[in-house]
Amino acid sequence: MEYVKLNNGVEMPMLGFGVYQIPAEDTKRCVLEAVSVGYRSIDTAQAYANEAEVGEAVRICGIPREELFLTTKIWISNGGYDKARASIDESLRRLKTDYIDLMLIHQPFNDYYGTYRAMEEACRSGKIRAIGVSNFMPDRFIDIAGFVETVPAVNQLEVHVFQQQKKAREILGKYGTRIMAWSPLAQGKNNLFTNEDLTAVGEKYGKTAAQVNLRFLIQSGVAVIPKSTHIERMEENFDLFDFTLTDDEMKKLEALDLGHSQFIDHYAPEVAEMFVNAGKAHMV
Ligand SMILES: NC(=O)c1ccc[n+]([C@@H]2O[C@H](COP(=O)([O-])OP(=O)(O)OC[C@H]3O[C@@H](n4cnc5c(N)ncnc54)[C@H](OP(=O)(O)O)[C@@H]3O)[C@@H](O)[C@H]2O)c1
C-alpha cells in the first residue's frame, strides 16, 4: 500500500474502498471482504445509510483500529455549527469508534462554514484526525480555503480518466490539498472497462482497463476509493502496486480527458436546486 502525507501530517492510504450504494444489509460482508483483501481505508457518508454496518465490520474485522483509515461525510441536512456538531457525535456512535480519520463536508450547500467550524473543533478535541470537503469545485474551494483556520486536507471529487480535473488539481496544489477520487471507475460509464487505450496499455502488464485507470490516478497523485460488491473485483482493484506506467503511457492516458463530469454539473442551477431539495428531504 502507498500512503500520502496530508497537509496536517496525517498519513492516508492512496487506495481505499467506497461503500456508496451498497445496501446496509450487504455492507458488513463487503467491508469484511475488502479488509480481508487488504484494504485499510473505507469511505462512507451519513447519507449512505450504512455507517453503522461499516462500524460493525471495523469492530469485528480483527485489524487494529489504528491500522484502518475511516472517512465519512456530513450531509447537507446536518449543515450549520449545531447540527454538524451533533452529527459528528452521531457518526462516531454509528461507526463505533472514538475517532474518524477524515471527515468531509459532502456537498457545498447549506451553512458549510458553520459545518466546517464544528469539524475544526472536533479535530482539536481529537474526535477527527483530518478534515476536508467534497464536491467543492475550484470557485467554492477557494472561497472556503480562504476563510477558515484549517486549510482542507482533502477535496473528494469525481476523477477518472475521462474527468481528470486538471484545473482543480492545479488550484488545490497551491493549497497543499489532496484529491481523493470519487467514482474512480466512472461506474463504468463511457465504456471505461472496455476502453481500447486502457486495454492496450494493460496488455503489456497483464492488467485490466480498470486497473490501468486506477494506476493512472494513483501515479497522478490522486487517492482512489473504488467500490465493488464482488470480492474478485475488490481483488482486481487492489492489485495496482506491482507495475508502473511509463511517461509515454501517462501522456497517452492524459489525452482521454473529456474535461467534464460523467454524472453531474456542479455549476448548473438545476443541480443546486436538486441538492437543496435533497438536503431538506433527506434528513440523516
Ligand atoms: N463524495 C461524493 O459525492 C461521492 C460520489 C460518488 C461516490 N463517492 C465515493 O466513491 C466511491 C466509489 O464510487 P462509485 O461507487 O460511485 O463508483 P466506482 O467505484 O467508479 O464504480 C463502481 C461500479 O463499478 C463496478 N465495478 C467495480 N470494480 C469493477 C471492475 N474491476 N470491473 C468491472 N466492474 C467493476 C461496481 O459493480 P459491483 O459493485 O457490482 O462489483 C459498481 O457498479 C463510492 O462508493 C463512494 O464511497 C463519493
PDB file of all heavy atoms in Angstrom, residues 18-21 43-44 48 73 106-107 134-135 156 181-188 193 210 225-230 233 236-237, ligand 1:
ATOM      1  N   GLY A  18     -14.841   2.148  -1.330  1.00  0.00           N
ATOM      2  CA  GLY A  18     -16.028   3.002  -1.204  1.00  0.00           C
ATOM      3  C   GLY A  18     -17.283   2.168  -1.014  1.00  0.00           C
ATOM      4  O   GLY A  18     -17.411   1.079  -1.596  1.00  0.00           O
ATOM      5  N   VAL A  19     -18.220   2.673  -0.213  1.00  0.00           N
ATOM      6  CA  VAL A  19     -19.429   1.879   0.083  1.00  0.00           C
ATOM      7  C   VAL A  19     -20.730   2.588  -0.326  1.00  0.00           C
ATOM      8  O   VAL A  19     -21.802   2.214   0.130  1.00  0.00           O
ATOM      9  CB  VAL A  19     -19.494   1.443   1.572  1.00  0.00           C
ATOM     10  CG1 VAL A  19     -18.294   0.592   1.937  1.00  0.00           C
ATOM     11  CG2 VAL A  19     -19.604   2.646   2.512  1.00  0.00           C
ATOM     12  N   TYR A  20     -20.625   3.583  -1.197  1.00  0.00           N
ATOM     13  CA  TYR A  20     -21.836   4.244  -1.723  1.00  0.00           C
ATOM     14  C   TYR A  20     -22.674   3.222  -2.496  1.00  0.00           C
ATOM     15  O   TYR A  20     -22.128   2.422  -3.264  1.00  0.00           O
ATOM     16  CB  TYR A  20     -21.400   5.385  -2.646  1.00  0.00           C
ATOM     17  CG  TYR A  20     -22.486   6.113  -3.379  1.00  0.00           C
ATOM     18  CD1 TYR A  20     -23.644   6.544  -2.733  1.00  0.00           C
ATOM     19  CD2 TYR A  20     -22.347   6.404  -4.731  1.00  0.00           C
ATOM     20  CE1 TYR A  20     -24.629   7.243  -3.423  1.00  0.00           C
ATOM     21  CE2 TYR A  20     -23.323   7.106  -5.429  1.00  0.00           C
ATOM     22  CZ  TYR A  20     -24.463   7.518  -4.766  1.00  0.00           C
ATOM     23  OH  TYR A  20     -25.427   8.205  -5.452  1.00  0.00           O
ATOM     24  N   GLN A  21     -23.974   3.250  -2.263  1.00  0.00           N
ATOM     25  CA  GLN A  21     -24.926   2.364  -2.952  1.00  0.00           C
ATOM     26  C   GLN A  21     -24.772   0.887  -2.573  1.00  0.00           C
ATOM     27  O   GLN A  21     -25.323   0.026  -3.247  1.00  0.00           O
ATOM     28  CB  GLN A  21     -24.845   2.533  -4.476  1.00  0.00           C
ATOM     29  CG  GLN A  21     -25.396   3.890  -4.908  1.00  0.00           C
ATOM     30  CD  GLN A  21     -25.266   4.153  -6.396  1.00  0.00           C
ATOM     31  OE1 GLN A  21     -24.308   3.728  -7.039  1.00  0.00           O
ATOM     32  NE2 GLN A  21     -26.226   4.849  -6.949  1.00  0.00           N
ATOM     33  N   ASP A  43     -14.455   4.374   2.791  1.00  0.00           N
ATOM     34  CA  ASP A  43     -15.135   5.659   2.585  1.00  0.00           C
ATOM     35  C   ASP A  43     -16.642   5.476   2.666  1.00  0.00           C
ATOM     36  O   ASP A  43     -17.232   4.783   1.833  1.00  0.00           O
ATOM     37  CB  ASP A  43     -14.774   6.226   1.205  1.00  0.00           C
ATOM     38  CG  ASP A  43     -15.464   7.563   0.949  1.00  0.00           C
ATOM     39  OD1 ASP A  43     -14.964   8.591   1.426  1.00  0.00           O
ATOM     40  OD2 ASP A  43     -16.525   7.569   0.287  1.00  0.00           O
ATOM     41  N   THR A  44     -17.262   6.115   3.686  1.00  0.00           N
ATOM     42  CA  THR A  44     -18.709   6.068   3.795  1.00  0.00           C
ATOM     43  C   THR A  44     -19.217   7.513   3.929  1.00  0.00           C
ATOM     44  O   THR A  44     -18.489   8.469   3.670  1.00  0.00           O
ATOM     45  CB  THR A  44     -19.159   5.168   4.969  1.00  0.00           C
ATOM     46  OG1 THR A  44     -20.581   5.112   5.010  1.00  0.00           O
ATOM     47  CG2 THR A  44     -18.638   5.626   6.312  1.00  0.00           C
ATOM     48  N   TYR A  48     -25.158   7.707   3.114  1.00  0.00           N
ATOM     49  CA  TYR A  48     -25.185   6.357   2.527  1.00  0.00           C
ATOM     50  C   TYR A  48     -25.999   5.372   3.375  1.00  0.00           C
ATOM     51  O   TYR A  48     -26.235   4.243   2.962  1.00  0.00           O
ATOM     52  CB  TYR A  48     -23.773   5.782   2.345  1.00  0.00           C
ATOM     53  CG  TYR A  48     -22.849   6.565   1.442  1.00  0.00           C
ATOM     54  CD1 TYR A  48     -21.497   6.249   1.349  1.00  0.00           C
ATOM     55  CD2 TYR A  48     -23.310   7.630   0.667  1.00  0.00           C
ATOM     56  CE1 TYR A  48     -20.640   6.961   0.531  1.00  0.00           C
ATOM     57  CE2 TYR A  48     -22.455   8.359  -0.150  1.00  0.00           C
ATOM     58  CZ  TYR A  48     -21.120   8.025  -0.204  1.00  0.00           C
ATOM     59  OH  TYR A  48     -20.256   8.729  -1.002  1.00  0.00           O
ATOM     60  N   LYS A  73     -18.771  11.587   5.805  1.00  0.00           N
ATOM     61  CA  LYS A  73     -19.097  12.930   5.288  1.00  0.00           C
ATOM     62  C   LYS A  73     -20.387  13.442   5.922  1.00  0.00           C
ATOM     63  O   LYS A  73     -21.327  12.666   6.121  1.00  0.00           O
ATOM     64  CB  LYS A  73     -19.287  12.879   3.763  1.00  0.00           C
ATOM     65  CG  LYS A  73     -18.249  12.055   3.043  1.00  0.00           C
ATOM     66  CD  LYS A  73     -18.403  12.050   1.539  1.00  0.00           C
ATOM     67  CE  LYS A  73     -17.558  10.963   0.909  1.00  0.00           C
ATOM     68  NZ  LYS A  73     -18.088   9.593   0.979  1.00  0.00           N
ATOM     69  N   HIS A 106     -19.979  16.947   2.645  1.00  0.00           N
ATOM     70  CA  HIS A 106     -20.315  16.139   1.463  1.00  0.00           C
ATOM     71  C   HIS A 106     -20.568  16.986   0.219  1.00  0.00           C
ATOM     72  O   HIS A 106     -20.137  16.644  -0.880  1.00  0.00           O
ATOM     73  CB  HIS A 106     -21.549  15.281   1.778  1.00  0.00           C
ATOM     74  CG  HIS A 106     -21.675  14.052   0.939  1.00  0.00           C
ATOM     75  ND1 HIS A 106     -22.246  12.891   1.395  1.00  0.00           N
ATOM     76  CD2 HIS A 106     -21.316  13.787  -0.336  1.00  0.00           C
ATOM     77  CE1 HIS A 106     -22.222  11.985   0.438  1.00  0.00           C
ATOM     78  NE2 HIS A 106     -21.669  12.503  -0.626  1.00  0.00           N
ATOM     79  N   GLN A 107     -21.301  18.097   0.415  1.00  0.00           N
ATOM     80  CA  GLN A 107     -21.665  18.954  -0.724  1.00  0.00           C
ATOM     81  C   GLN A 107     -21.609  20.416  -0.280  1.00  0.00           C
ATOM     82  O   GLN A 107     -21.941  20.722   0.868  1.00  0.00           O
ATOM     83  CB  GLN A 107     -23.094  18.632  -1.205  1.00  0.00           C
ATOM     84  CG  GLN A 107     -23.289  17.242  -1.781  1.00  0.00           C
ATOM     85  CD  GLN A 107     -22.693  17.068  -3.181  1.00  0.00           C
ATOM     86  OE1 GLN A 107     -22.301  18.044  -3.817  1.00  0.00           O
ATOM     87  NE2 GLN A 107     -22.617  15.831  -3.638  1.00  0.00           N
ATOM     88  N   SER A 134     -15.883  17.959  -0.047  1.00  0.00           N
ATOM     89  CA  SER A 134     -16.136  17.121  -1.221  1.00  0.00           C
ATOM     90  C   SER A 134     -17.024  17.891  -2.174  1.00  0.00           C
ATOM     91  O   SER A 134     -17.925  18.623  -1.737  1.00  0.00           O
ATOM     92  CB  SER A 134     -16.827  15.822  -0.781  1.00  0.00           C
ATOM     93  OG  SER A 134     -17.101  15.020  -1.910  1.00  0.00           O
ATOM     94  N   ASN A 135     -16.762  17.745  -3.419  1.00  0.00           N
ATOM     95  CA  ASN A 135     -17.559  18.407  -4.474  1.00  0.00           C
ATOM     96  C   ASN A 135     -17.449  19.930  -4.410  1.00  0.00           C
ATOM     97  O   ASN A 135     -18.344  20.625  -4.887  1.00  0.00           O
ATOM     98  CB  ASN A 135     -19.020  17.964  -4.396  1.00  0.00           C
ATOM     99  CG  ASN A 135     -19.162  16.487  -4.668  1.00  0.00           C
ATOM    100  OD1 ASN A 135     -18.789  16.018  -5.737  1.00  0.00           O
ATOM    101  ND2 ASN A 135     -19.663  15.732  -3.689  1.00  0.00           N
ATOM    102  N   GLN A 156     -12.710  15.694  -2.019  1.00  0.00           N
ATOM    103  CA  GLN A 156     -13.107  14.477  -2.742  1.00  0.00           C
ATOM    104  C   GLN A 156     -13.944  14.885  -3.947  1.00  0.00           C
ATOM    105  O   GLN A 156     -15.002  15.502  -3.806  1.00  0.00           O
ATOM    106  CB  GLN A 156     -13.891  13.536  -1.816  1.00  0.00           C
ATOM    107  CG  GLN A 156     -14.067  12.157  -2.430  1.00  0.00           C
ATOM    108  CD  GLN A 156     -14.843  11.191  -1.548  1.00  0.00           C
ATOM    109  OE1 GLN A 156     -15.993  10.872  -1.841  1.00  0.00           O
ATOM    110  NE2 GLN A 156     -14.229  10.716  -0.482  1.00  0.00           N
ATOM    111  N   ALA A 181     -10.397  10.602  -5.268  1.00  0.00           N
ATOM    112  CA  ALA A 181     -11.295  10.457  -6.423  1.00  0.00           C
ATOM    113  C   ALA A 181     -12.546   9.696  -6.055  1.00  0.00           C
ATOM    114  O   ALA A 181     -12.458   8.550  -5.620  1.00  0.00           O
ATOM    115  CB  ALA A 181     -10.582   9.721  -7.550  1.00  0.00           C
ATOM    116  N   TRP A 182     -13.713  10.315  -6.240  1.00  0.00           N
ATOM    117  CA  TRP A 182     -14.944   9.516  -6.159  1.00  0.00           C
ATOM    118  C   TRP A 182     -15.305   8.991  -7.544  1.00  0.00           C
ATOM    119  O   TRP A 182     -14.891   9.571  -8.556  1.00  0.00           O
ATOM    120  CB  TRP A 182     -16.077  10.243  -5.472  1.00  0.00           C
ATOM    121  CG  TRP A 182     -16.770  11.478  -5.999  1.00  0.00           C
ATOM    122  CD1 TRP A 182     -16.685  12.728  -5.438  1.00  0.00           C
ATOM    123  CD2 TRP A 182     -17.739  11.592  -7.066  1.00  0.00           C
ATOM    124  NE1 TRP A 182     -17.514  13.598  -6.115  1.00  0.00           N
ATOM    125  CE2 TRP A 182     -18.176  12.931  -7.117  1.00  0.00           C
ATOM    126  CE3 TRP A 182     -18.271  10.692  -7.988  1.00  0.00           C
ATOM    127  CZ2 TRP A 182     -19.112  13.402  -8.057  1.00  0.00           C
ATOM    128  CZ3 TRP A 182     -19.203  11.154  -8.917  1.00  0.00           C
ATOM    129  CH2 TRP A 182     -19.611  12.491  -8.949  1.00  0.00           C
ATOM    130  N   SER A 183     -16.032   7.875  -7.550  1.00  0.00           N
ATOM    131  CA  SER A 183     -16.309   7.148  -8.809  1.00  0.00           C
ATOM    132  C   SER A 183     -15.042   7.052  -9.662  1.00  0.00           C
ATOM    133  O   SER A 183     -15.036   7.425 -10.835  1.00  0.00           O
ATOM    134  CB  SER A 183     -17.449   7.800  -9.603  1.00  0.00           C
ATOM    135  OG  SER A 183     -18.658   7.737  -8.883  1.00  0.00           O
ATOM    136  N   PRO A 184     -13.950   6.518  -9.079  1.00  0.00           N
ATOM    137  CA  PRO A 184     -12.687   6.479  -9.831  1.00  0.00           C
ATOM    138  C   PRO A 184     -12.756   5.555 -11.041  1.00  0.00           C
ATOM    139  O   PRO A 184     -11.891   5.639 -11.922  1.00  0.00           O
ATOM    140  CB  PRO A 184     -11.683   5.948  -8.794  1.00  0.00           C
ATOM    141  CG  PRO A 184     -12.520   5.177  -7.837  1.00  0.00           C
ATOM    142  CD  PRO A 184     -13.819   5.914  -7.749  1.00  0.00           C
ATOM    143  N   LEU A 185     -13.795   4.699 -11.091  1.00  0.00           N
ATOM    144  CA  LEU A 185     -14.000   3.848 -12.275  1.00  0.00           C
ATOM    145  C   LEU A 185     -15.120   4.417 -13.146  1.00  0.00           C
ATOM    146  O   LEU A 185     -15.596   3.739 -14.070  1.00  0.00           O
ATOM    147  CB  LEU A 185     -14.356   2.413 -11.842  1.00  0.00           C
ATOM    148  CG  LEU A 185     -13.257   1.694 -11.043  1.00  0.00           C
ATOM    149  CD1 LEU A 185     -13.803   0.431 -10.370  1.00  0.00           C
ATOM    150  CD2 LEU A 185     -12.083   1.336 -11.964  1.00  0.00           C
ATOM    151  N   ALA A 186     -15.562   5.624 -12.832  1.00  0.00           N
ATOM    152  CA  ALA A 186     -16.669   6.268 -13.560  1.00  0.00           C
ATOM    153  C   ALA A 186     -17.925   5.384 -13.564  1.00  0.00           C
ATOM    154  O   ALA A 186     -18.765   5.521 -14.452  1.00  0.00           O
ATOM    155  CB  ALA A 186     -16.256   6.633 -14.993  1.00  0.00           C
ATOM    156  N   GLN A 187     -17.989   4.478 -12.579  1.00  0.00           N
ATOM    157  CA  GLN A 187     -19.078   3.487 -12.530  1.00  0.00           C
ATOM    158  C   GLN A 187     -19.199   2.786 -13.891  1.00  0.00           C
ATOM    159  O   GLN A 187     -20.292   2.390 -14.299  1.00  0.00           O
ATOM    160  CB  GLN A 187     -20.405   4.133 -12.133  1.00  0.00           C
ATOM    161  CG  GLN A 187     -20.452   4.615 -10.690  1.00  0.00           C
ATOM    162  CD  GLN A 187     -21.801   5.207 -10.292  1.00  0.00           C
ATOM    163  OE1 GLN A 187     -22.775   5.151 -11.053  1.00  0.00           O
ATOM    164  NE2 GLN A 187     -21.876   5.780  -9.103  1.00  0.00           N
ATOM    165  N   GLY A 188     -18.102   2.694 -14.613  1.00  0.00           N
ATOM    166  CA  GLY A 188     -18.109   2.009 -15.913  1.00  0.00           C
ATOM    167  C   GLY A 188     -18.670   2.849 -17.049  1.00  0.00           C
ATOM    168  O   GLY A 188     -18.809   2.361 -18.176  1.00  0.00           O
ATOM    169  N   PHE A 193     -14.577   0.115 -18.833  1.00  0.00           N
ATOM    170  CA  PHE A 193     -13.997  -1.224 -18.613  1.00  0.00           C
ATOM    171  C   PHE A 193     -13.535  -1.898 -19.905  1.00  0.00           C
ATOM    172  O   PHE A 193     -12.805  -2.885 -19.857  1.00  0.00           O
ATOM    173  CB  PHE A 193     -15.003  -2.126 -17.882  1.00  0.00           C
ATOM    174  CG  PHE A 193     -15.362  -1.614 -16.511  1.00  0.00           C
ATOM    175  CD1 PHE A 193     -16.693  -1.422 -16.152  1.00  0.00           C
ATOM    176  CD2 PHE A 193     -14.382  -1.311 -15.581  1.00  0.00           C
ATOM    177  CE1 PHE A 193     -17.028  -0.940 -14.894  1.00  0.00           C
ATOM    178  CE2 PHE A 193     -14.702  -0.822 -14.317  1.00  0.00           C
ATOM    179  CZ  PHE A 193     -16.031  -0.629 -13.976  1.00  0.00           C
ATOM    180  N   ALA A 210      -9.664  -1.425 -15.958  1.00  0.00           N
ATOM    181  CA  ALA A 210      -9.960  -0.839 -14.639  1.00  0.00           C
ATOM    182  C   ALA A 210      -8.669  -0.609 -13.861  1.00  0.00           C
ATOM    183  O   ALA A 210      -8.461   0.455 -13.262  1.00  0.00           O
ATOM    184  CB  ALA A 210     -10.894  -1.768 -13.849  1.00  0.00           C
ATOM    185  N   ILE A 225     -10.913   5.347  -4.333  1.00  0.00           N
ATOM    186  CA  ILE A 225     -11.751   4.552  -3.419  1.00  0.00           C
ATOM    187  C   ILE A 225     -12.796   3.765  -4.231  1.00  0.00           C
ATOM    188  O   ILE A 225     -13.997   3.967  -4.089  1.00  0.00           O
ATOM    189  CB  ILE A 225     -12.452   5.462  -2.384  1.00  0.00           C
ATOM    190  CG1 ILE A 225     -13.062   6.711  -3.056  1.00  0.00           C
ATOM    191  CG2 ILE A 225     -11.510   5.850  -1.267  1.00  0.00           C
ATOM    192  CD1 ILE A 225     -14.015   7.498  -2.160  1.00  0.00           C
ATOM    193  N   PRO A 226     -12.330   2.839  -5.109  1.00  0.00           N
ATOM    194  CA  PRO A 226     -13.293   2.085  -5.918  1.00  0.00           C
ATOM    195  C   PRO A 226     -14.234   1.254  -5.052  1.00  0.00           C
ATOM    196  O   PRO A 226     -13.845   0.780  -3.982  1.00  0.00           O
ATOM    197  CB  PRO A 226     -12.396   1.180  -6.767  1.00  0.00           C
ATOM    198  CG  PRO A 226     -11.132   1.048  -5.983  1.00  0.00           C
ATOM    199  CD  PRO A 226     -10.947   2.362  -5.295  1.00  0.00           C
ATOM    200  N   LYS A 227     -15.445   1.086  -5.546  1.00  0.00           N
ATOM    201  CA  LYS A 227     -16.461   0.281  -4.841  1.00  0.00           C
ATOM    202  C   LYS A 227     -16.735  -0.989  -5.640  1.00  0.00           C
ATOM    203  O   LYS A 227     -16.801  -0.968  -6.873  1.00  0.00           O
ATOM    204  CB  LYS A 227     -17.758   1.101  -4.726  1.00  0.00           C
ATOM    205  CG  LYS A 227     -18.996   0.314  -4.301  1.00  0.00           C
ATOM    206  CD  LYS A 227     -19.918  -0.033  -5.470  1.00  0.00           C
ATOM    207  CE  LYS A 227     -21.151  -0.776  -5.062  1.00  0.00           C
ATOM    208  NZ  LYS A 227     -21.949  -1.255  -6.231  1.00  0.00           N
ATOM    209  N   SER A 228     -16.915  -2.098  -4.943  1.00  0.00           N
ATOM    210  CA  SER A 228     -17.475  -3.295  -5.580  1.00  0.00           C
ATOM    211  C   SER A 228     -18.115  -4.172  -4.518  1.00  0.00           C
ATOM    212  O   SER A 228     -17.645  -4.206  -3.380  1.00  0.00           O
ATOM    213  CB  SER A 228     -16.399  -4.108  -6.312  1.00  0.00           C
ATOM    214  OG  SER A 228     -17.014  -5.265  -6.856  1.00  0.00           O
ATOM    215  N   THR A 229     -19.150  -4.870  -4.918  1.00  0.00           N
ATOM    216  CA  THR A 229     -19.768  -5.835  -4.013  1.00  0.00           C
ATOM    217  C   THR A 229     -19.238  -7.252  -4.296  1.00  0.00           C
ATOM    218  O   THR A 229     -19.673  -8.203  -3.664  1.00  0.00           O
ATOM    219  CB  THR A 229     -21.299  -5.826  -4.190  1.00  0.00           C
ATOM    220  OG1 THR A 229     -21.594  -5.994  -5.581  1.00  0.00           O
ATOM    221  CG2 THR A 229     -21.905  -4.519  -3.691  1.00  0.00           C
ATOM    222  N   HIS A 230     -18.313  -7.369  -5.271  1.00  0.00           N
ATOM    223  CA  HIS A 230     -17.773  -8.684  -5.655  1.00  0.00           C
ATOM    224  C   HIS A 230     -16.323  -8.797  -5.227  1.00  0.00           C
ATOM    225  O   HIS A 230     -15.485  -7.978  -5.643  1.00  0.00           O
ATOM    226  CB  HIS A 230     -17.876  -8.873  -7.176  1.00  0.00           C
ATOM    227  CG  HIS A 230     -19.287  -8.860  -7.679  1.00  0.00           C
ATOM    228  ND1 HIS A 230     -19.933  -7.707  -8.075  1.00  0.00           N
ATOM    229  CD2 HIS A 230     -20.174  -9.864  -7.817  1.00  0.00           C
ATOM    230  CE1 HIS A 230     -21.160  -8.001  -8.444  1.00  0.00           C
ATOM    231  NE2 HIS A 230     -21.348  -9.302  -8.293  1.00  0.00           N
ATOM    232  N   ARG A 233     -13.588  -8.553  -7.841  1.00  0.00           N
ATOM    233  CA  ARG A 233     -13.324  -7.185  -8.330  1.00  0.00           C
ATOM    234  C   ARG A 233     -12.590  -6.363  -7.265  1.00  0.00           C
ATOM    235  O   ARG A 233     -11.747  -5.533  -7.597  1.00  0.00           O
ATOM    236  CB  ARG A 233     -14.631  -6.496  -8.708  1.00  0.00           C
ATOM    237  CG  ARG A 233     -15.231  -7.047  -9.984  1.00  0.00           C
ATOM    238  CD  ARG A 233     -16.556  -6.382 -10.255  1.00  0.00           C
ATOM    239  NE  ARG A 233     -17.129  -6.821 -11.509  1.00  0.00           N
ATOM    240  CZ  ARG A 233     -18.371  -6.536 -11.886  1.00  0.00           C
ATOM    241  NH1 ARG A 233     -19.155  -5.807 -11.106  1.00  0.00           N
ATOM    242  NH2 ARG A 233     -18.830  -6.970 -13.041  1.00  0.00           N
ATOM    243  N   GLU A 236      -9.125  -7.353  -7.821  1.00  0.00           N
ATOM    244  CA  GLU A 236      -8.620  -6.728  -9.065  1.00  0.00           C
ATOM    245  C   GLU A 236      -8.272  -5.254  -8.809  1.00  0.00           C
ATOM    246  O   GLU A 236      -7.187  -4.791  -9.180  1.00  0.00           O
ATOM    247  CB  GLU A 236      -9.707  -6.839 -10.144  1.00  0.00           C
ATOM    248  CG  GLU A 236      -9.345  -6.207 -11.471  1.00  0.00           C
ATOM    249  CD  GLU A 236     -10.507  -6.272 -12.470  1.00  0.00           C
ATOM    250  OE1 GLU A 236     -11.387  -7.153 -12.356  1.00  0.00           O
ATOM    251  OE2 GLU A 236     -10.521  -5.417 -13.374  1.00  0.00           O
ATOM    252  N   ASN A 237      -9.176  -4.555  -8.142  1.00  0.00           N
ATOM    253  CA  ASN A 237      -8.975  -3.115  -7.926  1.00  0.00           C
ATOM    254  C   ASN A 237      -7.879  -2.823  -6.902  1.00  0.00           C
ATOM    255  O   ASN A 237      -7.423  -1.691  -6.790  1.00  0.00           O
ATOM    256  CB  ASN A 237     -10.282  -2.455  -7.469  1.00  0.00           C
ATOM    257  CG  ASN A 237     -11.382  -2.579  -8.506  1.00  0.00           C
ATOM    258  OD1 ASN A 237     -11.106  -2.810  -9.680  1.00  0.00           O
ATOM    259  ND2 ASN A 237     -12.634  -2.444  -8.092  1.00  0.00           N
TER     260      ASN A 237
HETATM  261  N1  LIG B   1     -18.343  12.467  -2.427  1.00  0.00           N
HETATM  262  C1  LIG B   1     -19.257  12.121  -3.300  1.00  0.00           C
HETATM  263  O1  LIG B   1     -20.145  12.908  -3.659  1.00  0.00           O
HETATM  264  C2  LIG B   1     -19.230  10.735  -3.888  1.00  0.00           C
HETATM  265  C3  LIG B   1     -19.997  10.444  -5.040  1.00  0.00           C
HETATM  266  C4  LIG B   1     -19.909   9.165  -5.563  1.00  0.00           C
HETATM  267  C5  LIG B   1     -19.078   8.210  -4.970  1.00  0.00           C
HETATM  268  N2  LIG B   1     -18.370   8.517  -3.834  1.00  0.00           N
HETATM  269  C6  LIG B   1     -17.466   7.526  -3.188  1.00  0.00           C
HETATM  270  O2  LIG B   1     -16.647   6.922  -4.199  1.00  0.00           O
HETATM  271  C7  LIG B   1     -16.805   5.503  -4.142  1.00  0.00           C
HETATM  272  C8  LIG B   1     -16.621   4.876  -5.497  1.00  0.00           C
HETATM  273  O3  LIG B   1     -17.506   5.456  -6.443  1.00  0.00           O
HETATM  274  P1  LIG B   1     -18.781   4.690  -7.043  1.00  0.00           P
HETATM  275  O4  LIG B   1     -19.222   3.651  -6.104  1.00  0.00           O
HETATM  276  O5  LIG B   1     -19.752   5.742  -7.441  1.00  0.00           O
HETATM  277  O6  LIG B   1     -18.260   4.062  -8.402  1.00  0.00           O
HETATM  278  P2  LIG B   1     -16.954   3.322  -8.950  1.00  0.00           P
HETATM  279  O7  LIG B   1     -16.098   2.845  -7.858  1.00  0.00           O
HETATM  280  O8  LIG B   1     -16.375   4.215 -10.005  1.00  0.00           O
HETATM  281  O9  LIG B   1     -17.615   2.103  -9.722  1.00  0.00           O
HETATM  282  C9  LIG B   1     -18.362   1.137  -9.048  1.00  0.00           C
HETATM  283  C10 LIG B   1     -19.117   0.310 -10.073  1.00  0.00           C
HETATM  284  O10 LIG B   1     -18.217  -0.397 -10.925  1.00  0.00           O
HETATM  285  C11 LIG B   1     -18.370  -1.801 -10.743  1.00  0.00           C
HETATM  286  N3  LIG B   1     -17.009  -2.343 -10.670  1.00  0.00           N
HETATM  287  C12 LIG B   1     -16.122  -2.135  -9.657  1.00  0.00           C
HETATM  288  N4  LIG B   1     -14.938  -2.679  -9.963  1.00  0.00           N
HETATM  289  C13 LIG B   1     -15.069  -3.236 -11.182  1.00  0.00           C
HETATM  290  C14 LIG B   1     -14.189  -3.944 -12.022  1.00  0.00           C
HETATM  291  N5  LIG B   1     -12.932  -4.151 -11.675  1.00  0.00           N
HETATM  292  N6  LIG B   1     -14.674  -4.392 -13.223  1.00  0.00           N
HETATM  293  C15 LIG B   1     -15.954  -4.167 -13.586  1.00  0.00           C
HETATM  294  N7  LIG B   1     -16.850  -3.506 -12.824  1.00  0.00           N
HETATM  295  C16 LIG B   1     -16.396  -3.037 -11.638  1.00  0.00           C
HETATM  296  C17 LIG B   1     -19.181  -1.986  -9.490  1.00  0.00           C
HETATM  297  O11 LIG B   1     -20.031  -3.104  -9.601  1.00  0.00           O
HETATM  298  P3  LIG B   1     -20.218  -4.201  -8.432  1.00  0.00           P
HETATM  299  O12 LIG B   1     -20.408  -3.461  -7.138  1.00  0.00           O
HETATM  300  O13 LIG B   1     -21.451  -4.929  -8.871  1.00  0.00           O
HETATM  301  O14 LIG B   1     -18.990  -5.031  -8.450  1.00  0.00           O
HETATM  302  C18 LIG B   1     -20.021  -0.716  -9.449  1.00  0.00           C
HETATM  303  O15 LIG B   1     -21.157  -0.840 -10.284  1.00  0.00           O
HETATM  304  C19 LIG B   1     -18.238   5.357  -3.576  1.00  0.00           C
HETATM  305  O16 LIG B   1     -18.510   4.044  -3.143  1.00  0.00           O
HETATM  306  C20 LIG B   1     -18.225   6.396  -2.507  1.00  0.00           C
HETATM  307  O17 LIG B   1     -17.539   5.912  -1.357  1.00  0.00           O
HETATM  308  C21 LIG B   1     -18.434   9.764  -3.295  1.00  0.00           C
END
